[in-house]
Amino acid sequence: MRLPLHLRSLRLVLYAYVPYAYVPYEADEIPVTIYFTHMNLKLQIDSARLEQHLIELAQIGARTDGGVCRLAFSDADLEGRAYVEDVLSEAGLEIRIDPVGNLFAILRGTSTLPAIMIGSHTDTVATGGRYDGALGVLAAVECALRIKESGWVPNRSIVVASFVNEEGVRFMPDMMGSLYHSGQISLDAVAAATDLNGVSIGQELTRLQGYAGTETLEDIDVGYFLELHIEQGPVLEDEDLDIGVVTGVQGLSWTEVTVHGASNHAGTTPMERRRDAGLVSGELMSNLRQLPNEIEGLRLTIGSVTYHPNLINVIASKVQFTVDIRHPDSARLQDAEARVKRLLTEQSVCQITCKSLARVEPCTFSEQVVSAVQNASDTSGYSSKQMISGAGHDAQILNSKFRSGMIFIPSRGGISHNIEEYSSLKQVVAGANVLLGAVQHLTEK
Ligand code: HGY
Ligand code: MN
Ligand code: MN
């Protein structure tokens, strides 16, 4: 329906005074379209729809205690990805799935300028919440839906992305889907990765029909990657800030340590004759715990310990534990890794072996993207601070290939990787609007 001329001119006046007004218009009203597009276009997301999508996705892999469990390459993971795919294909976006299961949806722009990719992951840890990863994917979906229904065709294509196995808790390394997309891990290496039960990703990709695709993004020149994520820490809430403008991500190094002892009877074996993997690993863990006191800014976590045979009256023959160390500075991270190795070789009762499970260098995001995020936050009137991320993210991996950046919203109590993970709808909407604003800012460049 074409509006009569006087109403169209009224609309022009409206835009002059209410530049952020969103008024549906037909693309054939060229004068208005040109005027509207050259305006400082300011779309806002549909908060009710985004809230609904978050609620619906959280039902997939829902735990009975209110948390979410969608381990990578599980049935729930495939169901979660299919949910996102359905929303995007119903909106008419062009869907592509690559050989490891990364999902992409394309909204074509008017030019061949490098495209803007926005997204995150939908896999979770086993005791996950409803925001880690899901927020970034569903906010990206909402941005695409909003742009498409507004009739605005950006000069750059927009690619919504959902990367597989960001968490890496079942199959390591973490950030596996973005590692594959950025050419840092091969399809064979992905398929060969096994979980604690010896099941490989290759076997899961065969079992989960439809998980793996055959498509690529090779014909799309992507220039930028933007990820909205919950902070997963206490900084924004402590300082009562709306938005984290993320300038980089600290590095991480994951090691699996195996202490080889000898099983024997708990009652008959004299203490001096024991090769007790249980006691030795306990000493090692408490020595490792001192490292953050020696290296400022170091974070060290021993998150998983497995005893064998794990019986009350049997001296442990083997103990396996994981060491997760993180630091924003590359040299200090390497120093911490060297000290871990030294500590492990200082005792002689048991043989110790180590295996590196994952390692990602600290990264610094693109100034252009950081300022686009800062601009979007400022023009929306949100309070913000520039900060680095304590958690690893797909953006950290993709930063090697695209000009990348991230947006944080506060986490209640700084809690994440926990069923209590929570951010308010107001915070979710703020983050999604900053994502949409940053995309619009980058399309103008
Ligand atoms: O471990 C991490 O930092 C991320 O959540 N995978
Ligand atoms: Mn995450
Ligand atoms: Mn996580």
Side-chain angles (χ1 to χ4, degrees):
M1 180 270 284
R2 281 176 63 79
L3 293 173
L5 187 60
H6 66 285
L7 274 184
R8 274 190 272 161
S9 47
L10 173 67
R11 193 203 294 267
L12 276 177
V13 171
L14 175 67
Y15 287 149
Y17 291 102
V18 190
Y20 294 168
Y22 162 64
V23 181
Y25 62 98
E26 283 65 42
D28 65 351
E29 295 171 341
I30 299 302
V32 173
T33 309
I34 290 169
Y35 181 77
F36 185 72
T37 307
H38 282 290
M39 285 279 295
N40 177 12
L41 181 84
K42 191 95 181 76
L43 289 176
Q44 298 280 304
I45 60 120
D46 178 332
S47 51
R49 179 167 58 193
L50 176 53
E51 183 185 27
Q52 188 55 30
H53 286 160
L54 278 165
I55 291 168
E56 288 170 358
L57 181 55
Q59 301 315 312
I60 299 172
R63 292 164 48 100
T64 52
D65 56 11
V68 178
C69 176
R70 288 193 298 271
L71 290 180
F73 303 105
S74 65
D75 297 87
D77 183 29
L78 176 56
E79 197 187 335
R81 193 195 70 187
Y83 169 80
V84 174
E85 185 184 343
D86 290 348
V87 172
L88 288 162
S89 51
E90 271 160 34
L93 273 78
E94 181 191 339
I95 301 291
R96 296 195 188 168
I97 295 176
D98 78 5
V100 298
N102 290 323
L103 167 69
F104 302 102
I106 303 158
L107 195 60
R108 295 280 177 186
T110 56
S111 82
T112 54
L113 283 170
I116 301 168
M117 183 184 278
I118 50 179
S120 190
H121 62 93
T122 55
D123 68 301
T124 71
V125 296
T127 52
R130 56 176 54 190
Y131 300 91
D132 178 356
L135 170 68
V137 170
L138 294 177
V141 168
E142 177 53 32
C143 289
L145 299 189
R146 201 81 198 86
I147 292 169
K148 190 151 181 8
E149 70 194 8
S150 76
W152 170 51
V153 183
N155 63 350
R156 295 176 186 273
S157 295
I158 308 291
V159 179
V160 175
S162 180
F163 289 101
V164 299
N165 195 22
E166 188 279 342
E167 295 295 356
V169 289
R170 180 184 173 200
F171 297 102
M172 296 175 196
D174 59 347
M175 282 88 87
M176 193 183 268
S178 43
L179 281 169
Y180 173 77
H181 185 67
S182 53
Q184 301 179 62
I185 190 171
S186 69
L187 180 57
D188 289 348
V190 168
T194 55
D195 65 10
L196 291 177
N197 302 317
V199 176
S200 73
I201 291 180
Q203 288 168 309
E204 287 297 68
L205 288 178
T206 306
R207 179 179 71 83
L208 293 165
Q209 283 307 305
Y211 193 110
T214 55
E215 290 137 329
T216 71
L217 279 187
E218 280 161 7
D219 58 318
I220 309 264
D221 173 24
V222 176
Y224 301 91
F225 179 73
L226 253 175
E227 181 172 8
L228 169 63
H229 207 284
I230 49 172
E231 180 204 331
Q232 301 181 290
V235 172
L236 293 177
E237 185 178 70
D238 287 355
E239 299 181 30
D240 194 19
L241 294 169
D242 302 317
I243 295 291
V245 180
V246 188
T247 55
V249 186
Q250 66 177 345
L252 71 85
S253 171
W254 287 359
T255 305
E256 176 189 78
V257 179
T258 304
V259 181
H260 304 272
S263 267
N264 211 327
H265 194 293
T268 57
T269 313
M271 292 310 285
E272 68 279 6
R273 292 196 191 178
R274 294 180 180 213
R275 289 181 44 237
D276 184 341
L279 276 185
V280 168
S281 58
E283 283 162 19
L284 288 174
M285 286 186 235
S286 62
N287 294 342
L288 288 167
R289 177 68 192 81
Q290 299 314 312
L291 286 182
N293 302 330
E294 296 168 20
I295 301 177
E296 195 193 342
L298 179 70
R299 289 180 179 158
L300 181 142
T301 309
I302 295 173
S304 158
V305 183
T306 315
Y307 288 80
H308 182 81
N310 199 28
L311 301 170
I312 186 167
N313 59 357
V314 179
I315 297 171
S317 57
K318 185 172 81 169
V319 174
Q320 257 176 348
F321 62 90
T322 57
V323 184
D324 172 327
I325 55 175
R326 316 253 178 149
H327 202 286
D329 176 85
S330 184
R332 306 308 305 269
L333 182 65
Q334 288 173 45
D335 178 26
E337 288 173 309
R339 291 180 192 220
V340 168
K341 277 224 167 42
R342 229 180 356 261
L343 273 176
L344 296 177
T345 52
E346 272 170 2
Q347 65 73 36
S348 56
V349 174
C350 293
Q351 189 212 355
I352 310 282
T353 54
C354 294
K355 182 178 149 194
S356 173
L357 299 173
R359 188 177 196 288
V360 187
E361 279 290 321
C363 85
T364 302
F365 286 142
S366 143
E367 276 179 25
Q368 184 189 0
V369 178
V370 170
S371 63
V373 171
Q374 189 66 62
N375 173 284
S377 178
D378 295 347
T379 48
S380 302
Y382 295 126
S383 59
S384 67
K385 78 173 284 176
Q386 298 204 353
M387 59 193 289
I388 64 159
S389 169
H393 296 288
D394 290 312
Q396 173 175 23
I397 302 299
L398 297 164
N399 192 52
S400 62
K401 195 172 159 74
F402 312 131
R403 276 164 284 184
S404 299
M406 290 187 77
I407 303 155
F408 275 170
I409 61 168
S411 294
R412 184 178 61 187
I415 293 172
S416 182
H417 283 188
N418 181 314
I419 62 168
E420 300 299 329
E421 183 181 278
Y422 176 80
S423 297
S424 69
L425 179 61
K426 184 167 172 268
Q427 292 166 336
V428 161
V429 170
N433 275 326
V434 169
L435 177 65
L436 184 50
V439 165
Q440 292 173 84
H441 186 86
L442 289 171
T443 54
E444 289 152 12
K445 295 291 166 218

